[in-house]
Amino acid sequence: MGAILIFSKMGEVTTCDVIDWLDAFKVDFFRINEGELDKMPSSFQLTNEGQSATVESTKGKFKLEDIDTVWFRKTKPSKTPDTSTISDPDIAALIEAHTFNELEAYNLTFHQLLEKKWLNHPTRKEINKPFQLRMAQKVGFKIPATLVTNEKTILCNFKKNYSELIVKAIFRSRGFMIDEVFHAGFTTILTEETIHQLPDTFFPILVQQQIDKEYEIRTFYLDGECHSMAIFSQMDEQTVVDFRRYNRTKPNRTVPFSLPESITNQVKTFMDNMELNSGSLDFIRGKDGHYYFLEVNPTGQFGMVSKPCNYCLEKKVAEWLIQ
């Protein structure tokens, strides 16, 4: 067989765990971390006779025809040049925007030339939550009542229907560093006091009814198979709204979990409709007995499901890439 090509980022633990299995299976692979492709010696050529591409990676030079399978694991936007020496902020912003678009196009060119078998494709990596929720409804999932707005009046009217609201990112929460401190975006209760302090119009937000939950479920989906874990986050005040506010001292209890067959079938249909063959899905099991779809992250972490539940998902992913 040919080699496997992996797009990831430096230090991404799950990628390293899968690579350990590829090494154990003695399979050839190449890894390109974020920001590396435009720095590696690489070229893409299109002529009337055909196309070609070569990349000089840390493991040596390879061509398109050397690759059988591609795994798009993780990435962030390419870094733009330092514009701190440019005195005019408008010009600096224009230069940053231009170079960012050029680097994105450079990377996308290579992805599009790779007409191979993909585990996730970069064109499906960023999907906003409202679109996911609409697609989830179409396959029969229940969802929390959701509002996307920038109007205080509309928000206040929505709030009248629900005892508690939560607020989260419309797209996805992206962490960032300020003065060497990492700040993450979490799902948060939207209080009456906060709503009262809002102006008549504000930056757009996504709010949902807060579901009274029995537990949360994280499901890793791999080409038709669901591997799920129940998370008893409601037992801890720190994690009751968002389990990602991890209690390192007393972690949430997590156990292997089997979704009902009807939900599993809906997951398969949903993922097919989303054109995703892998991803991490989040659900809530409500105290009303219903399962509520929250979102899917095409490149979400699955080590957090694999290890506590002894699923050995890293091996399963390696075997999928090899098959």
Side-chain angles (χ1 to χ4, degrees):
M1 66 171 288
I4 295 165
L5 178 59
I6 300 170
F7 291 98
S8 188
K9 65 179 183 179
M10 188 69 70
E12 209 283 310
V13 175
T14 305
T15 305
C16 297
D17 290 342
V18 171
I19 283 175
D20 286 342
W21 281 105
L22 295 178
D23 282 332
F25 291 134
K26 302 186 186 309
V27 175
D28 290 332
F29 66 89
F30 297 95
R31 175 175 178 170
I32 298 177
N33 290 317
E34 61 187 10
E36 287 185 347
L37 184 60
D38 52 280
K39 295 179 178 62
M40 295 173 172
S42 53
S43 62
F44 320 119
Q45 184 169 303
L46 293 169
T47 68
N48 291 322
E49 286 69 46
Q51 63 184 33
S52 65
T54 58
V55 177
E56 186 79 44
S57 77
T58 53
K59 291 189 67 175
K61 180 179 286 189
F62 65 89
K63 299 179 180 180
L64 287 184
E65 53 265 33
D66 300 328
I67 304 299
D68 272 355
T69 310
V70 189
W71 181 28
F72 186 83
R73 173 63 193 134
K74 286 281 187 181
T75 189
K76 290 191 301 187
S78 301
K79 292 182 179 179
T80 55
D82 181 11
T83 56
S84 60
T85 58
I86 299 175
S87 57
D88 189 324
D90 292 332
I91 294 176
L94 287 171
I95 292 173
E96 288 181 8
H98 172 71
T99 52
F100 175 84
N101 290 337
E102 287 294 284
L103 289 171
E104 286 287 278
Y106 186 83
N107 282 266
L108 183 59
T109 297
F110 189 58
H111 296 154
Q112 291 170 332
L113 287 174
L114 284 162
E115 296 176 345
K116 310 290 180 177
K117 184 178 77 168
W118 285 77
L119 184 61
N120 286 340
H121 195 279
T123 59
R124 307 301 295 167
K125 69 183 174 70
E126 309 287 17
I127 309 168
N128 67 61
K129 293 185 182 73
F131 179 77
Q132 292 184 15
L133 293 168
R134 286 169 49 218
M135 295 294 284
Q137 281 185 310
K138 288 181 179 181
V139 302
F141 281 132
K142 285 190 174 296
I143 64 168
T146 302
L147 172 70
V148 180
T149 187
N150 66 349
E151 293 185 68
K152 185 174 182 176
T153 302
I154 299 296
L155 176 58
C156 290
N157 289 336
F158 185 74
K159 175 68 175 73
K160 292 175 184 177
N161 299 315
Y162 307 101
S163 56
E164 292 282 0
L165 295 181
I166 56 95
V167 59
K168 59 172 67 172
I170 300 173
F171 186 49
R172 67 182 176 89
S173 301
R174 192 186 295 277
F176 49 88
M177 297 290 293
I178 300 178
D179 296 331
E180 298 184 356
V181 176
F182 184 76
H183 297 261
F186 294 110
T187 299
T188 307
I189 294 289
L190 184 60
T191 65
E192 293 276 9
E193 181 183 1
T194 300
I195 294 174
H196 178 72
Q197 292 172 351
L198 290 171
D200 291 339
T201 57
F202 44 81
F203 192 83
I205 58 173
L206 184 151
V207 297
Q208 291 180 321
Q209 70 175 121
Q210 185 184 20
I211 303 297
D212 195 9
K213 65 186 175 184
E214 287 187 9
Y215 46 82
E216 295 184 58
I217 302 161
R218 166 62 66 92
T219 297
F220 177 66
Y221 179 86
L222 179 62
D223 202 11
E225 294 184 355
C226 292
H227 308 273
S228 300
M229 175 179 75
I231 307 166
F232 294 91
S233 55
Q234 78 284 358
M235 309 294 287
D236 188 331
E237 275 299 314
Q238 182 171 320
T239 61
V240 68
V241 177
D242 191 333
F243 78 83
R244 295 171 301 167
R245 293 183 180 270
Y246 305 116
N247 187 332
R248 307 292 183 182
T249 305
K250 188 181 178 182
N252 292 153
R253 178 173 176 246
T254 56
V255 297
F257 184 83
S258 294
L259 288 169
E261 184 178 357
S262 59
I263 301 295
T264 298
N265 290 335
Q266 286 174 326
V267 169
K268 292 177 182 177
T269 304
F270 170 78
M271 295 296 278
D272 285 345
N273 291 349
M274 296 288 286
E275 299 179 12
L276 296 171
N277 57 5
S278 181
S280 294
L281 300 97
D282 289 326
F283 296 92
I284 284 178
R285 162 77 178 200
K287 288 184 179 179
D288 58 8
H290 295 302
Y291 291 86
Y292 291 86
F293 170 88
L294 298 181
E295 63 181 281
V296 59
N297 184 345
T299 60
Q301 293 291 352
F302 55 86
M304 62 169 292
V305 175
S306 178
K307 293 177 174 60
C309 299
N310 294 317
Y311 287 144
C312 206
L313 296 176
E314 298 80 10
K315 181 183 180 184
K316 292 180 184 295
V317 170
E319 290 172 335
W320 190 97
L321 295 171
I322 293 168
Q323 288 173 358

